[in-house]
């Protein structure tokens, strides 16, 4: 029985209103595959939370995403991310900060396209220099970051320090509304335990952003991984994880043609998976108040 905790989004205590649902979820990183965590859904706003605390340095020490290659497939997804920013007003001469940039591939890609881009990630040797946070930017992206922090409200408020007046923040994060705690693909994919600490519902994400004084200018239920390019879609990606024992590590290991032959259904999902996205992610774009 879950007791004594509250939703960090709407503030509802589980003692006041019991969780709408909960489930044990195994870690989908190979190194910690024997660890199981409890995820519960807020009975009021529908957001998702991990019950057990973790040692961040311990779990992020060998984080698989740091091994992502800057290959053709990655560049397709990065192009999708950049398209969103260009559509929202990013143009030559404007500055960009990718907060929580991981391996920094989006920073590199944006620079190649002529964008004045910087990146910051506390778990990256290359992009761990906090001096880039001492100035403000026209655009600040936080893609797949909000769900990793202990205090999402404080994180959103903190973004004000890095966005220039009239600039935009772009937050991409899983959507709790579309996630089934008991669905095996959701456990392997967007639940991503114990790294995804708090996953907001669509309404809560927009409410939090607006409450912070931002003007929400666009909201979409989309993920940059979902493209029409063969084998670059979430339906294929999560099934690829599933074929590798349920661990995301397989997505960053060298590609093995034999593995694909052993799991022939992956060819179907690679070619047609874009038509079967579960829409488990969302993006909100908000503008900072002008001076």
């Amino acid at each position: 029985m879950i007791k004594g905790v509250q939703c960090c989004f709407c503030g509802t205590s589980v003692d006041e209103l019991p969780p709408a649902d909960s489930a044990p979820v195994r870690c989908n990183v190979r190194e910690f595959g024997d660890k199981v965590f409890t995820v519960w859904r807020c009975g009021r706003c529908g957001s998702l939370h991990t019950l057990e605390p973790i040692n961040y340095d311990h779990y992020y020490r060998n984080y698989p995403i740091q091994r992502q290659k800057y290959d053709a497939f990655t560049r397709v997804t990065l192009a999708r991310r950049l398209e969103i920013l260009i559509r929202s007003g990013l143009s030559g001469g404007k500055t960009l900060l990718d907060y929580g940039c991981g391996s920094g591939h989006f920073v590199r890609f944006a620079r190649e396209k002529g964008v004045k881009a910087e990146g910051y990630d506390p778990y990256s040797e290359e992009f761990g220099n906090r001096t880039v946070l001492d100035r403000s930017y026209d655009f600040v992206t936080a893609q797949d970051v909000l769900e990793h922090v202990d205090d999402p409200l404080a994180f959103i408020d903190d973004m004000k320090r890095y966005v220039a007046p009239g600039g935009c923040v772009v937050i991409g994060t899983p959507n709790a509304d579309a996630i089934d705690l008991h669905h095996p693909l959701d456990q392997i994919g967007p639940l991503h335990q114990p790294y995804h600490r708090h996953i907001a519902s669509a309404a809560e994400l927009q409410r939090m952003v607006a409450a912070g004084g931002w003007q929400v200018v666009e909201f979409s239920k989309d993920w940059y991984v979902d493209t029409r390019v063969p084998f670059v879609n979430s339906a294929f990606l999560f099934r690829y994880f599933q074929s590798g024992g349920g661990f995301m590590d397989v997505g960053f290991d060298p590609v093995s043609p034999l593995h694909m032959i052993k799991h022939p259904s992956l060819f179907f999902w690679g070619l047609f998976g874009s038509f079967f996205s579960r829409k488990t992610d969302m993006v909100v774009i908000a503008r900072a108040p002008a001076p």
Side-chain angles (χ1 to χ4, degrees), residues 163-214:
V163 181
C168 286
V169 64
V170 181
I171 299 174
T173 186
N175 179 6
D177 299 331
I179 297 173
D180 182 344
L181 290 179
H182 307 280
H183 196 293
L185 290 181
D186 287 357
Q187 292 201 356
I188 292 170
L191 284 173
H192 185 34
Q193 289 302 294
Y195 303 90
H196 287 182
R197 310 299 297 165
H198 305 286
I199 301 176
S201 62
E204 277 304 298
L205 177 62
Q206 295 175 83
R207 182 195 65 77
M208 285 191 302
V209 171
W214 303 86

Side-chain angles (χ1 to χ4, degrees), residues 88-222:
S88 301
L90 179 66
S91 58
K94 292 192 175 181
T95 54
L96 166 69
L97 171 67
D98 189 21
Y99 192 103
C101 65
S103 57
H105 290 330
F106 184 59
V107 177
R108 297 185 185 95
F109 184 82
R111 287 173 177 171
E112 289 176 4
K113 300 301 180 181
V115 179
K116 297 178 181 178
E118 298 288 352
Y120 173 72
D121 194 301
Y123 298 100
S124 168
E125 291 185 9
E126 184 178 355
F127 294 95
N129 188 342
R130 292 188 61 88
T131 60
V132 299
L133 304 180
D134 294 336
R135 54 187 183 271
S136 57
Y137 299 82
D138 298 308
F139 281 79
V140 175
T141 60
Q143 180 63 53
D144 300 319
V145 178
L146 185 71
E147 64 274 19
H148 290 260
V149 302
D150 276 332
D151 192 339
L153 290 171
F155 177 82
I156 290 176
D157 190 61
D158 200 40
M159 290 297 100
K160 295 177 184 175
R161 297 166 50 194
Y162 317 125
V163 181
C168 286
V169 64
V170 181
I171 299 174
T173 186
N175 179 6
D177 299 331
I179 297 173
D180 182 344
L181 290 179
H182 307 280
H183 196 293
L185 290 181
D186 287 357
Q187 292 201 356
I188 292 170
L191 284 173
H192 185 34
Q193 289 302 294
Y195 303 90
H196 287 182
R197 310 299 297 165
H198 305 286
I199 301 176
S201 62
E204 277 304 298
L205 177 62
Q206 295 175 83
R207 182 195 65 77
M208 285 191 302
V209 171
W214 303 86
Q215 177 191 2
V216 176
V217 295
E218 183 177 336
F219 174 82
S220 64
K221 296 179 180 179
D222 200 3

Side-chain angles (χ1 to χ4, degrees), residues 2-288:
I2 299 171
K3 293 184 178 181
V5 295
Q6 67 179 32
C7 174
C8 64
F9 296 117
C10 70
T12 300
S13 167
V14 297
D15 300 322
E16 169 193 355
L17 184 65
D21 195 8
S22 66
V25 180
R26 186 184 70 154
C27 179
N28 70 340
V29 169
R30 192 179 292 138
E31 181 179 1
F32 306 111
D34 60 336
K35 305 297 183 182
V36 176
F37 298 86
T38 307
V39 182
W40 60 277
R41 186 183 299 276
C42 176
R44 177 159 290 150
C45 72
S47 297
L48 299 170
H49 309 277
T50 303
L51 179 64
E52 297 85 1
I54 65 167
N55 179 328
Y56 280 83
D57 290 338
H58 177 66
Y59 278 93
Y60 283 96
R61 181 183 56 211
N62 298 310
Y63 198 36
I65 290 177
Q66 295 288 356
R67 294 190 282 113
Q68 184 178 18
K69 294 180 174 60
Y70 193 50
D71 55 20
F73 293 102
T74 295
R75 291 171 67 88
V76 169
T77 64
L78 300 179
R80 281 288 311 279
R81 285 187 61 183
L82 191 59
E83 284 174 11
I84 294 172
L85 301 182
I86 293 173
R87 189 175 67 234
S88 301
L90 179 66
S91 58
K94 292 192 175 181
T95 54
L96 166 69
L97 171 67
D98 189 21
Y99 192 103
C101 65
S103 57
H105 290 330
F106 184 59
V107 177
R108 297 185 185 95
F109 184 82
R111 287 173 177 171
E112 289 176 4
K113 300 301 180 181
V115 179
K116 297 178 181 178
E118 298 288 352
Y120 173 72
D121 194 301
Y123 298 100
S124 168
E125 291 185 9
E126 184 178 355
F127 294 95
N129 188 342
R130 292 188 61 88
T131 60
V132 299
L133 304 180
D134 294 336
R135 54 187 183 271
S136 57
Y137 299 82
D138 298 308
F139 281 79
V140 175
T141 60
Q143 180 63 53
D144 300 319
V145 178
L146 185 71
E147 64 274 19
H148 290 260
V149 302
D150 276 332
D151 192 339
L153 290 171
F155 177 82
I156 290 176
D157 190 61
D158 200 40
M159 290 297 100
K160 295 177 184 175
R161 297 166 50 194
Y162 317 125
V163 181
C168 286
V169 64
V170 181
I171 299 174
T173 186
N175 179 6
D177 299 331
I179 297 173
D180 182 344
L181 290 179
H182 307 280
H183 196 293
L185 290 181
D186 287 357
Q187 292 201 356
I188 292 170
L191 284 173
H192 185 34
Q193 289 302 294
Y195 303 90
H196 287 182
R197 310 299 297 165
H198 305 286
I199 301 176
S201 62
E204 277 304 298
L205 177 62
Q206 295 175 83
R207 182 195 65 77
M208 285 191 302
V209 171
W214 303 86
Q215 177 191 2
V216 176
V217 295
E218 183 177 336
F219 174 82
S220 64
K221 296 179 180 179
D222 200 3
W223 194 25
Y224 64 93
V225 171
D226 281 316
T227 77
R228 293 297 176 89
V229 176
F231 299 95
V232 188
N233 65 77
S234 59
F236 166 76
L237 180 66
F238 295 153
R239 285 172 174 82
Y240 192 67
F241 291 172
Q242 189 177 47
S243 71
F247 299 123
M248 68 180 297
D249 305 65
V250 69
F252 306 98
D253 293 337
V255 176
S256 168
L258 182 61
H259 181 89
M260 294 289 294
I261 293 172
K262 288 181 177 178
H263 301 87
S265 65
L266 291 175
F267 288 100
F268 171 85
W269 294 109
L271 295 173
F272 305 107
S274 60
F275 299 102
F276 299 93
S277 170
R278 291 174 53 79
K279 299 291 184 182
T280 55
D281 274 65
M282 56 185 171
V283 176
V284 63
I285 303 173
R287 192 173 304 280

